[in-house]
Amino acid sequence: MMERRMECGAVVMNGCIFVTGGYSYSKGTYLQSIEKYDPELNQWEVVSNLPSAMRSHGCVCVYNV
C-alpha cells in the first residue's frame, strides 16, 4: 500500500482491492484516503478520499448481475 494502515475497510470490485480509511500507526492519525490495488499491474494507487477520516468500518460492493 501507499500508506500502511490498520482497522481499515476493504472490498473487491472489478478484480481490484479497495482499502478505505483506517489508522496510521506511524503517523498516529486516522486516515481519509482510499487506495486501490490492481493485481494486473501489481500496483497500489490513491484513488479518492472519504468524506472524513475513519477507522473500524466495513465496506460492501453492490453489483447488479
Side-chain angles (χ1 to χ4, degrees), residues 4-64:
R4 286 178 51 176
R5 58 187 75 211
M6 59 185 177
E7 301 176 9
C8 55
V11 67
V12 175
M13 291 189 306
N14 298 324
C16 294
I17 301 170
F18 290 81
V19 178
T20 61
Y23 178 76
S24 171
Y25 185 78
S26 62
K27 291 183 177 178
T29 60
Y30 299 121
L31 300 171
Q32 192 172 352
S33 59
I34 300 172
E35 294 189 32
K36 177 180 93 170
Y37 176 72
D38 186 333
E40 290 184 10
L41 301 174
N42 189 30
Q43 181 177 326
W44 284 95
E45 68 175 310
V46 176
V47 293
S48 190
N49 284 305
L50 297 168
S52 62
M54 63 178 65
R55 65 176 179 90
S56 300
H57 61 282
C59 297
V60 64
C61 174
V62 179
Y63 185 75
N64 187 3

